[in-house]
Amino acid sequence: RECVDAFFVVKSRGRQRLVIDCRRSNCWFEEAEHTPLCSGDTLSSLELEVGDDLYIGQTDLAYAFYHIELPVELRKYFGLRPVRACDIGVTSADGRPVSPDDLVYPLMAVMPMGWNWALSWCQQVLQAGATRAGLAVHSRLEDGRRAGSLGTGRHVTYVDIFAALGTDQAEV
């Protein structure tokens, strides 16, 4: 139904990030809903008691978008350019034999970075993981929500980054 292209951008330390150009695919979808993330304003409302130390633990989910499976019914909107079957080792498609010189049209099976809903879905997956790990929703730092005291600990989910903040080093 739609074709996407891939390109790379330079990340920190000279590494490259794969980005899928989904501008045409995005036309098939409604605008993505607002994704509430932690903002500088929220972080500035954190309160630390005099004499308390602040501890922060953070992790980055490597290749987060590409670890989320794209639902089968959406894959047709993220087709790659056609390639010869023999160039990618394909001998059958949809249960039918394919000759080596036939063109096949691969479809993205993972969340394409560049799709207008990818950030929202990735954020929801990370938030669900934090909730399943037992972290209370009210302790999550988000834009528009006053942070308050760190005594009970707080956490941030930011698309592919998780951070725990608090005054108890063992808890963090």
Side-chain angles (χ1 to χ4, degrees), residues 10-87:
V10 178
K11 291 173 49 172
S12 62
R13 296 180 221 149
R15 297 179 55 200
Q16 294 186 346
R17 176 186 309 272
L18 171 66
V19 179
I20 307 300
D21 182 356
C22 296
R23 288 177 290 182
R24 291 171 53 110
S25 299
N26 285 336
C27 294
W28 290 93
F29 298 92
E30 294 178 7
E31 283 293 316
E33 59 190 33
H34 172 72
T35 303
L37 301 171
C38 183
S39 66
D41 184 55
T42 300
L43 290 174
S44 71
S45 71
L46 286 169
E47 298 172 4
L48 188 63
E49 298 295 323
V50 175
D52 280 347
D53 291 322
L54 171 63
Y55 297 96
I56 301 172
Q58 176 183 320
T59 188
D60 182 328
L61 302 175
Y63 314 109
F65 291 89
Y66 304 118
H67 287 287
I68 300 173
E69 187 174 6
L70 191 62
V72 173
E73 61 273 13
L74 297 181
R75 293 178 186 178
K76 63 187 171 192
Y77 298 104
F78 304 98
L80 301 170
R81 291 184 182 271
V83 294
R84 289 183 329 148
C86 64
D87 291 338

Side-chain angles (χ1 to χ4, degrees), residues 32 65 68 111-123 159:
F65 291 89
I68 300 173
M111 184 82 59
M113 182 184 282
W115 179 39
N116 62 4
W117 280 88
L119 183 135
S120 176
W121 283 24
C122 197
Q123 176 71 358
V159 187

